[in-house]
């Protein structure tokens, strides 16, 4: 199989390779292979869609095909977690250059399956087409059971802001890769494959989270959505942010930078950020700030943050 | 606004432009603007995903931005119709070159809305990112009410094969455009914007369709999926295929070609093809063939078709 290209293999055989022998679930009434998959919902449902493009979100020389598959699934499912839903099923569209080796697609599929397994979701369908750059789009569904979704608009004065998951690891890894290095390995790996805290969205919803978002563009940028959505002033206490050793190493190596910048502005780790009444913060979540009535926006240690807030496309 | 590019506008403002003032529906509990949309399902649900890429599925000099938006929505929703479901909601991911004019995106969005209105579906969310070629991915949901989905596997001996919608129009239009012409206008317009028979999938399901598919790759190719899925021999009676005047004109103009080729092998019109017990064919559907036990495959007038069966990517 080595060296066989996507064009030589053809669309239908390629889809077959991606979906062959997929695990299923009781809620999946019909999996891949028809015009659509058929699912049995559990309560109201959440849907999201996300695209990753080669050269924009990943590079083939920095990430393996498996890494790309895992990252596409993880970043998409984080949106479902952030609504307090239980991820159930996803569909993937793959746009691929004709000269790409089929082995890349096979390895990508293995990564997709592995991440689906970790998240408890089932791949139920897909589409492949040709394109000049590898483009991966995941649309994910989640079940809300009998619960209401946790939106960005419900934070109230007196709530606390808490996070679950890592901040600034992927950004530190990207900074390293951009300078041509491959270590510290922990942050490079974090850039390649995020580790959203699967299940934490449901825990937060059941604990009474008043608002929630996943940190995809950076803590300040995403908490900013909660602040403006809820019409509240959020204040992050930087002393409560856990700055890991590899981030300190990277910040020190790259021009004496402040490692706090990674935690405040680095995206792509897909931690969850949520607000709770102070007595309701569930296990596994760390309080990092407060919510008060006032001008909608985010302060750091009581002051406006001076600097770049997060990732911008284009 | 003329001349402003996607890069100048920025991602968040671009999303806002796409989703501003969207219509909603009772089943949409939360529309665009959060990590995911929240929907109330009606029975089991169908999900599909489809991607269109500039230079592969459309050209900006052949199709307006509105045409591209309409085609992306129409071709995606046809998959939901083909399962016998009622299209309800869709999410769209747009990957765009930074130097694309915002006006293109605005016009694209207008086309998306228009086609959603025709199909009775609601745009509930989206994602934008940068890419070298315009890449549009739609994921669509449909409701099955209390019904079961109509798959590709249920055709039985003695059933008839019927279609609803147009065959070979878009292919004739593409043939014209490829030679540098813009007429006959009817087929060129059909290439730009397909006209799936919205509602016909539900009608077929309620009438007792035993198998169904949408004709996206060509009649022979797609009926072939029904034949192999059901393990039956399908026989198309070519005299029952409606060959429209513009198709005859194009076939005659392009090297004395047989207009039947467009109807048998042309994709992208998104007609529905379904099998029914002979007494159950609903109004609006045209019988074009028969189903019998035998080697799984498709015959034309009792003979194997010699020639290209349909569209291949890559």
């Amino acid at each position: 199989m080595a060296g066989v290209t996507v064009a030589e293999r053809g669309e239908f055989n390629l889809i077959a390779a991606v979906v062959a022998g997929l695990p299923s679930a009781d809620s999946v009434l019909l999996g891949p292979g028809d015009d659509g998959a058929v699912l049995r919902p559990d309560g109201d449902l959440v849907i999201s869609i996300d695209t990753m493009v080669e050269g924009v979100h990943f590079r083939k020389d920095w990430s393996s095909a498996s890494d790309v598959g895992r990252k596409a699934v993880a970043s998409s499912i984080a949106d479902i977690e952030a609504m307090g839903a239980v991820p159930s099923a996803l569909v993937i569209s793959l746009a691929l250059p004709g000269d790409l080796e089929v082995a890349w697609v096979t390895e990508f599929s293995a990564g997709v399956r592995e991440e689906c397994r970790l998240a408890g979701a089932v791949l139920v369908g897909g589409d492949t087409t040709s394109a000049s750059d590898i483009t991966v789009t995941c649309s994910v569904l989640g079940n809300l059971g009998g619960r209401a979704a946790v939106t960005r608009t419900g934070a109230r004065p007196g709530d606390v802001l808490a996070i679950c998951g890592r901040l600034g690891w992927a950004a530190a890894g990207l900074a390293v890769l951009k300078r041509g290095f491959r270590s510290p390995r922990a942050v490079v790996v974090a850039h390649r494959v995020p580790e959203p805290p699967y299940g934490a969205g449901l825990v937060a919803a059941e604990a009474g989270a008043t608002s929630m978002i996943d940190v995809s563009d950076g803590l300040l940028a995403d908490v900013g959505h909660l602040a403006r959505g809820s019409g509240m002033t959020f204040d992050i206490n930087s002393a409560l942010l856990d700055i890991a050793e590899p981030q300190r190493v990277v910040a020190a190596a790259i021009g004496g930078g402040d490692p706090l910048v990674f935690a405040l502005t680095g995206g792509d780790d897909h931690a969850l950020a949520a607000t709770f009444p102070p007595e309701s913060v569930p296990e596994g979540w760390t309080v990092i700030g407060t919510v008060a009535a006032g001008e909608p926006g985010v302060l750091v240690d009581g002051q406006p943050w001076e600097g770049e807030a997060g990732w911008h496309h284009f």
Side-chain angles (χ1 to χ4, degrees), chain A:
Chain A
M1 191 154 88
V4 177
T5 68
V6 160
E8 288 158 359
R9 182 60 59 91
E11 182 187 9
F12 292 116
N13 292 324
L14 201 61
I15 293 176
V18 172
V19 301
L22 279 176
S24 193
D26 289 346
S27 62
V28 180
L29 306 185
L30 183 69
D34 215 300
D35 293 285
V38 184
L39 306 169
R40 179 146 294 169
D42 174 17
D44 295 329
L45 59 100
V46 175
I47 184 168
S48 71
I49 190 164
D50 262 305
T51 294
M52 284 185 11
V53 182
E54 179 185 358
V56 179
H57 300 89
F58 66 91
R59 282 174 45 166
K60 275 198 297 180
D61 54 338
W62 288 353
S63 297
S64 72
S66 170
D67 292 338
V68 174
R70 291 190 62 184
K71 186 171 188 164
V73 171
S75 59
S76 303
I77 288 182
D79 283 325
I80 300 299
E81 291 271 345
M83 300 299 289
V86 177
S88 57
L90 70 158
V91 288
I92 295 188
S93 180
L94 259 184
L96 302 169
D99 62 0
L100 185 70
E101 290 194 2
V102 168
W104 193 94
V105 182
T106 308
E107 205 201 318
F108 168 87
S109 303
V112 165
R113 285 161 200 234
E114 170 64 7
E115 198 66 25
C116 283
R117 191 185 62 75
L118 291 172
V122 179
L123 177 62
V124 296
D127 176 48
T128 66
T129 188
S130 57
S132 45
D133 301 313
I134 300 171
T135 307
V136 184
T137 302
C138 290
S139 181
V140 188
L141 291 175
N143 289 319
L144 282 165
R147 285 165 287 107
V150 182
T151 70
R152 300 177 178 182
T153 62
R156 291 170 301 203
D159 281 353
V160 293
L161 171 66
I163 58 159
C164 183
R166 304 190 300 197
L167 295 174
W169 285 59
L174 184 59
V176 163
L177 286 165
K178 278 185 170 168
R179 306 220 167 195
F181 301 108
R182 304 262 166 159
S183 69
R185 186 172 154 73
V187 292
V188 170
V189 168
H191 162 76
R192 291 174 177 150
V193 181
E195 294 185 6
Y198 294 128
L202 173 62
V203 166
E206 290 183 330
T210 51
S211 70
M212 185 153 54
I213 195 167
D214 90 291
V215 182
S216 52
D217 293 334
L219 185 65
L220 286 173
D222 289 313
V223 168
H225 291 304
L226 297 183
R228 286 187 302 279
S230 302
M232 295 285 147
T233 301
F234 281 51
D235 191 356
I236 293 171
N237 180 345
S238 67
L240 298 176
L241 293 174
D242 176 36
I243 308 296
E245 184 56 26
Q247 289 171 295
R248 294 186 196 282
V249 169
V250 176
I254 297 176
D258 180 357
L260 195 59
V261 174
F262 290 133
L264 287 172
T265 69
D268 279 353
D269 287 301
H270 301 285
L272 296 176
T275 53
F276 300 89
E279 68 281 7
S280 302
V281 180
E283 202 174 331
W285 287 74
T286 305
V287 172
I288 62 164
T290 56
V291 178
E295 182 72 20
V298 185
L299 306 174
V300 178
D301 303 326
Q303 302 294 321
W305 174 257
E306 311 286 346
E308 184 72 7
W311 166 261
H312 296 283
H313 294 294
F314 304 114

